[in-house]
Amino acid sequence: MSEKVSIGDRVVAAGFAAGWRLVPLLPQRPTAAVFRFLADRVWSRQGKSVRRLESNLARVTGLDVGSRELRELTRAGMRSYFRYFHEIFRLPSMDRSEIVRRTHVIGAEHVHDTVAAGRGVVLALPHMGNWDQAGAWLVGVGHPFTTVAERLKPESLFRRYVAFREGLGMEVLPLTGGDGHNFGTLATRVRKGGVVCLPAERDLTRSGVEVRFFGATTKVPAGPPLLAVQTGAALLPAVVYFQGDDWGIHIHPEIPVPAEGTRQEKVAVVAQGMTDVFEKGIAEHPEDWHMLQRLWLEDLEPR
């Protein structure tokens, strides 16, 4: 059966293709200014995604919806989001040593020491900063890893994204449409002492694990905590943010797995510990949290 692709999807795919082809050929500062301009245009139109980001940031910061402070923070958030896209178009052409040099990392020893001890690592990240750049840094310091990617539409865009990430040194598994054995593959990688990186602050499906996050209930993916519980891998929450023109990564210590309890109870405890770290990191860098979707259960529309 052929894939049904909307005109909008085709335009987005064409835009990404042009971005990866043209942006690296142009000077960095002018193209960065163009992306900031586009971010401001999108912010000024106050579309659905911008309003959702503002609502999410209001919960994170306690600022009043509609206040000048919150609107300015939301504009900074959109600039951060568009900076991510500008940078991913340039990343394939950047020198790997420059990426490593310009990445300022707190807690890198948690990855290095764990891998050196022969244990696998599960790095769990919220959608912040430039997670693809963080992946390029991780590969650049000697830790190629496996991740899972959402299957974008159209298929051509998904293939380009996979090729982009594989070009940075990642192994990419499709979230859907693959062999159906993603968890088994990830478990195999960490049992052999490898590294897995997974986005981990949003999964509103039935398989998500309920946690408290900024005072309300949401769901996070079960995969990262379940890998730690079942394989003995170290779950290390990591917060990624922009630091001036460079990048920052804060890799936190391992979230311990309780010695007692059922598997489900252990997963719930580890998931909450992971989320608590995310909460602190997002509160410190709210403008770099790219959450333009509904997140908390009480914000969902009744079905």
Side-chain angles (χ1 to χ4, degrees), residues 101-211:
R101 176 177 57 81
R102 292 175 54 199
T103 304
H104 309 282
V105 184
I106 301 170
E109 69 276 7
H110 299 310
V111 177
H112 299 320
D113 294 348
T114 304
V115 171
R119 288 181 68 199
V121 167
V122 179
L123 277 166
L125 304 90
H127 291 82
M128 291 183 69
N130 189 335
W131 47 91
D132 286 306
Q133 176 278 327
W137 167 83
L138 189 60
V139 173
V141 295
H143 300 295
F145 63 90
T146 304
T147 189
V148 176
E150 179 183 358
R151 196 160 207 118
L152 304 171
K153 290 184 178 181
E155 183 69 14
S156 61
L157 177 57
F158 173 71
R159 290 197 301 268
R160 286 184 186 276
Y161 242 112
V162 169
F164 156 66
R165 287 174 171 158
E166 288 177 342
L168 297 178
M170 311 177 195
E171 178 188 20
V172 182
L173 307 177
L175 180 61
T176 57
D179 61 12
H181 299 102
N182 279 354
F183 186 83
T185 301
L186 297 173
T188 297
R189 299 292 183 269
V190 294
R191 283 192 174 111
K192 292 181 178 179
V195 179
V196 163
C197 294
L198 297 170
E201 95 277 34
R202 184 180 189 271
D203 181 359
L204 301 182
T205 68
R206 294 177 64 181
S207 62
V209 180
E210 286 197 4
V211 293

Side-chain angles (χ1 to χ4, degrees), residues 4-163:
K4 292 183 178 180
V5 181
S6 69
I7 294 176
D9 288 338
R10 294 183 187 280
V11 169
V12 170
F16 272 80
W20 271 306
R21 184 173 65 252
L22 298 177
V23 171
L25 303 177
L26 301 171
Q28 189 272 338
R29 289 189 180 279
T31 53
V34 169
F35 276 77
R36 283 195 302 273
F37 171 78
L38 293 173
D40 287 348
R41 285 292 300 273
V42 172
W43 171 79
S44 67
R45 292 177 179 177
Q46 290 293 297
K48 182 178 179 180
S49 295
V50 174
R51 295 196 308 272
R52 176 51 54 190
L53 176 62
E54 182 170 310
S55 174
N56 290 340
L57 289 174
R59 187 184 293 275
V60 166
T61 62
L63 294 171
D64 293 331
V65 173
S67 68
R68 180 176 179 179
E69 293 85 356
L70 184 60
R71 284 178 57 83
E72 288 302 315
L73 178 61
T74 305
R75 178 164 68 172
M78 291 305 298
R79 286 183 172 184
S80 173
Y81 189 45
F82 273 70
R83 173 176 169 175
Y84 161 74
F85 290 111
H86 178 245
E87 289 184 351
I88 67 169
F89 294 142
R90 302 190 71 88
L91 270 176
S93 63
M94 288 185 65
D95 184 85
R96 296 299 182 264
S97 63
E98 179 187 358
I99 294 174
V100 172
R101 176 177 57 81
R102 292 175 54 199
T103 304
H104 309 282
V105 184
I106 301 170
E109 69 276 7
H110 299 310
V111 177
H112 299 320
D113 294 348
T114 304
V115 171
R119 288 181 68 199
V121 167
V122 179
L123 277 166
L125 304 90
H127 291 82
M128 291 183 69
N130 189 335
W131 47 91
D132 286 306
Q133 176 278 327
W137 167 83
L138 189 60
V139 173
V141 295
H143 300 295
F145 63 90
T146 304
T147 189
V148 176
E150 179 183 358
R151 196 160 207 118
L152 304 171
K153 290 184 178 181
E155 183 69 14
S156 61
L157 177 57
F158 173 71
R159 290 197 301 268
R160 286 184 186 276
Y161 242 112
V162 169

Side-chain angles (χ1 to χ4, degrees), residues 80 83-84 87 129-130 240-244 246-248 288 290:
S80 173
R83 173 176 169 175
Y84 161 74
E87 289 184 351
N130 189 335
V240 179
Y241 49 93
F242 295 120
Q243 189 167 321
D246 295 345
W247 307 280
D288 290 329
H290 305 153

Side-chain angles (χ1 to χ4, degrees), residues 119-124 224-225 228 233-237 252-256 270-271 274:
R119 288 181 68 199
V121 167
V122 179
L123 277 166
L235 175 60
L236 307 178
H252 290 260
E254 176 180 356
I255 302 296
V270 174
M274 175 187 74

